[in-house]
C-alpha cells in the first residue's frame, strides 16, 4: 500500500513522553523550559500543526525520557492547554493535562529592577495567586505579573 503523500510519517515512540497541544507560538519556549536541547535522546518537534482546538499547535516527543511532574508542570505557565502522554512499549499508558504548580522557582525573571533577585545571585520564586488567570507574585518584592507577560528565563 502506498503511503499517503499528504501526511508526514514520524516514528512512533517505544518509550517516552509526548507533550501535545502546545500553542504554536510557545513551542520553543516550552523546549527551553524543559531543557530538552541538552538531552542526548531522540527528540521530535513539530510546530504549526493543524489543531481543531488551537488552530495551530506544537508537539514535542522525547524518547526514553519521563519528566517529573514539577518539570512538566512548569510549561503550564506558557501552555495551559498542553496534554502529556506517557508511552511504554508503543502504547499510551497515561494521559493527563499540565497543571500550574502553586510555586514557580527559577524560571521567571522578576521585572522589578529593584528586586533582590535581579541584584543578587539567587533563584527567583513566584507564588501563583490566581491559577485560572495565571497570575503570579514575586515572593521577594511582591511584583505581580500575568503568565502571558512573564519574562521566562
Amino acid at each position: 500500500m502506498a503511503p499517503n503523500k499528504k501526511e508526514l510519517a514520524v516514528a512512533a515512540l517505544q518509550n517516552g513522553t509526548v507533550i501535545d497541544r502546545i500553542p504554536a507560538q510557545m513551542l520553543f519556549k516550552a523546549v527551553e523550559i524543559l531543557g530538552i536541547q541538552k538531552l542526548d535522546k531522540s527528540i521530535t518537534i513539530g510546530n504549526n500543526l493543524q489543531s481543531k482546538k488551537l488552530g495551530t499547535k506544537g508537539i514535542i516527543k522525547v524518547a526514553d525520557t519521563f519528566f517529573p511532574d514539577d518539570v512538566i508542570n512548569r510549561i503550564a505557565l506558557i501552555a495551559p492547554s498542553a496534554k502529556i502522554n506517557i508511552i511504554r512499549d508503543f502504547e499510551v499508558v497515561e494521559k493527563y493535562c499540565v497543571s500550574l504548580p502553586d510555586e514557580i522557582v527559577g524560571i521567571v525573571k522578576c521585572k522589578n529592577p529593584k528586586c533582590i533577585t535581579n541584584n543578587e545571585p539567587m533563584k527567583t520564586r513566584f507564588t501563583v495567586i490566581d491559577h485560572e488567570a495565571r497570575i503570579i507574585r514575586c515572593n521577594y518584592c511582591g511584583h505581580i505579573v500575568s503568565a502571558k507577560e512573564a519574562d521566562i528565563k
Side-chain angles (χ1 to χ4, degrees):
M1 186 167 139
N4 181 345
K5 292 186 180 190
K6 293 182 182 179
E7 292 183 19
L8 175 65
V10 176
L13 279 183
Q14 181 174 357
N15 294 295
T17 304
V18 176
I19 306 165
D20 195 6
R21 291 195 194 161
I22 303 167
Q25 69 275 18
M26 293 296 172
L27 178 70
F28 292 102
K29 194 54 92 170
V31 167
E32 187 180 326
I33 288 171
L34 294 171
I36 60 176
Q37 68 273 25
K38 299 172 190 158
L39 295 178
D40 63 351
K41 307 292 183 182
S42 176
I43 299 169
T44 303
I45 297 173
N47 200 19
N48 292 317
L49 306 172
Q50 292 300 313
S51 169
K52 290 178 183 164
K53 292 190 184 255
L54 300 176
T56 59
K57 69 176 181 177
I59 187 169
I60 300 170
K61 292 182 175 186
V62 185
D64 303 316
T65 303
F66 303 97
F67 299 95
D69 286 345
D70 65 323
V71 172
I72 282 287
N73 288 335
R74 295 168 84 176
I75 69 166
L77 193 60
I78 58 153
S81 58
K83 301 271 186 203
I84 310 303
N85 295 310
I86 303 299
I87 314 294
R88 296 194 194 278
D89 295 322
F90 298 104
E91 298 288 330
V92 175
V93 296
E94 190 178 348
K95 247 184 177 175
Y96 61 94
C97 297
V98 294
S99 61
L100 193 58
D102 293 332
E103 194 168 62
I104 311 286
V105 179
I107 64 167
V108 176
K109 182 180 186 311
C110 186
K111 289 187 175 186
N112 176 358
K114 293 182 179 180
C115 182
I116 190 168
T117 61
N118 289 317
N119 298 295
E120 297 290 333
M122 60 193 307
K123 285 186 176 183
T124 60
R125 187 175 297 271
F126 284 80
T127 299
V128 178
I129 57 174
D130 185 334
H131 278 77
E132 195 170 313
R134 296 180 308 136
I135 306 293
I136 59 177
R137 180 182 60 230
C138 177
N139 286 14
Y140 298 103
C141 72
H143 183 75
I144 295 173
V145 66
S146 77
K148 286 186 276 190
E149 296 162 0
D151 187 0
I152 310 289
K153 291 184 183 185

